[in-house]
Amino acid sequence: MQDPALDIHMEIRSTIDIVTARQQGRELAMEAGFAGSDVTLIAAAISEIARNILDHAKRGELVFSLITKGPDHCLQVVARDEGPGIADVTRAMQYGYSSRGGLGVGLPGAKWLMDDFEIESVIGKGTKITMRKWTRHGNRRPLTSH
Amino acid sequence: MQVPILKQGSYLIASIQSALSDADMLQLRDDLAERVGRFRARGVIIDVTVLDVIDSFATRTLRHLAHMLNLRGADTVIVGIQPEVAFAMVQLGLTLEGVGTVLDLEEGLAFLDLKIKHHARPGP
């Protein structure tokens, strides 16, 4: 169950927005009842995908949603940009690969930190990354493979 | 948010007070590189206790910073990485290779004392 009216939209245009976005994510994660270490993992993942927007598309948006499924809660973060798109998603998800001289840790790292991670990218149109983390009570969803 | 840098003997202590943007991190790197020369510092302690996230950019900047300071003749030690932050760094596969890391400020001072004394010791 997800209430779109409660979604939080955040513009990502400068590196300061990265700090604001991960603070926002941290607050939401705490509200959703995540454990302390999970809150930090979520904040770190947000930092990486927000930076990915800036590096590749210059600007974009993060949308935070809280989703409830039975006894479980989930924080979903969608990163959307209208940048150049990712030519080779498989390659972009390879640890240590960077198209711009970074560590090549951002996207694969964010995937490791979260439970679900999906990329849709169209060249010339933009990229949408959806990632989710689930609280650990109730029936935990299986982890996506690392 | 500028990071205050204190001078303590031949050491500089940069005590991060709040979350830092990328620009703040780069500013810290440049400030330290300059001050190591100005104060002829032999060692630098960077206290990251308040940081709630050390992501790939912060890791890379800290690594570059330590390398730069090393080229300027000063040893760097990072102190105060919180347990959850360390956990997230491990999950992200981030390492601070070549950079000293110890528990807290006290250990940081001891680390630099040991390292710098060791360097200063005349060879056999």
Side-chain angles (χ1 to χ4, degrees):
Chain A
M1 209 173 64
Q2 180 189 354
D3 184 353
L6 297 177
D7 287 355
I8 295 174
H9 294 251
M10 293 201 68
E11 287 257 13
I12 303 294
R13 291 187 202 187
S14 76
T15 59
I16 291 168
D17 296 333
I18 300 177
V19 178
T20 320
R22 68 181 181 229
Q23 280 165 352
Q24 180 68 256
R26 168 174 286 274
E27 274 171 34
L28 273 173
M30 284 183 353
E31 262 175 49
F34 282 96
S37 58
D38 277 348
V39 172
T40 299
L41 298 186
I42 291 167
I46 290 169
S47 207
E48 299 297 344
I49 61 162
R51 175 161 293 110
N52 193 68
I53 290 179
L54 282 183
D55 288 345
H56 295 283
K58 305 273 194 290
R59 55 180 295 176
E61 180 191 49
L62 293 185
V63 183
F64 298 93
S65 321
L66 287 174
I67 299 173
T68 307
K69 201 177 195 181
D72 291 324
H73 299 286
C74 143
L75 178 65
Q76 172 178 280
V77 185
V78 176
R80 211 180 276 128
D81 69 60
E82 292 173 2
I86 300 170
D88 187 342
V89 171
T90 314
R91 204 160 170 218
M93 288 308 292
Q94 259 170 30
Y95 194 81
Y97 171 77
S98 173
S99 59
R100 47 160 190 105
L103 292 178
V105 168
L107 292 186
K111 182 178 173 177
W112 287 346
L113 298 177
M114 302 297 277
D115 294 330
D116 305 329
F117 192 94
E118 293 139 30
I119 301 185
E120 297 158 55
S121 190
V122 181
I123 293 291
K125 292 256 176 191
T127 303
K128 181 185 172 192
I129 297 174
T130 305
M131 57 184 199
R132 293 180 209 96
K133 188 132 191 119
W134 295 83
T135 52
R136 292 184 183 176
H137 16 81
N139 294 320
R140 187 168 158 71
R141 282 176 50 128
L143 285 173
T144 49
S145 61
H146 282 179
Chain B
M1 174 80 201
Q2 204 157 13
V3 178
I5 299 171
L6 312 172
K7 186 174 179 298
Q8 157 95 25
S10 58
Y11 302 151
L12 296 178
I13 302 172
S15 179
I16 297 173
Q17 306 286 315
S18 69
L20 296 183
S21 71
D22 294 3
D24 297 330
M25 288 285 307
L26 296 175
Q27 183 69 45
L28 174 64
R29 181 195 66 190
D30 296 347
D31 285 351
L32 281 172
E34 185 264 328
R35 277 186 217 198
V36 157
R38 183 166 13 131
F39 296 115
R40 310 190 74 76
R42 301 291 309 280
V44 174
I45 297 176
I46 301 172
D47 187 348
V48 300
T49 306
V50 304
L51 292 188
D52 62 351
V53 168
I54 298 180
D55 66 0
S56 58
F57 182 87
T59 302
R60 187 161 46 124
T61 310
L62 287 172
R63 249 157 54 175
H64 287 179
L65 187 160
H67 192 188
M68 268 172 75
L69 297 182
N70 191 248
L71 291 170
R72 300 273 286 150
D75 283 309
T76 302
V77 60
I78 313 269
V79 307
I81 296 178
Q82 294 304 298
E84 313 88 67
V85 173
F87 182 58
M89 286 177 73
V90 170
Q91 292 278 306
L92 277 167
L94 298 173
T95 59
L96 281 166
E97 258 165 79
V99 186
T101 52
V102 295
L103 191 64
D104 56 19
L105 194 55
E106 195 181 340
E107 293 289 333
L109 289 164
F111 176 93
L112 286 179
D113 281 346
L114 206 72
K115 202 157 180 188
I116 286 158
K117 228 179 273 163
H118 181 75
H119 277 181
R121 202 166 49 199

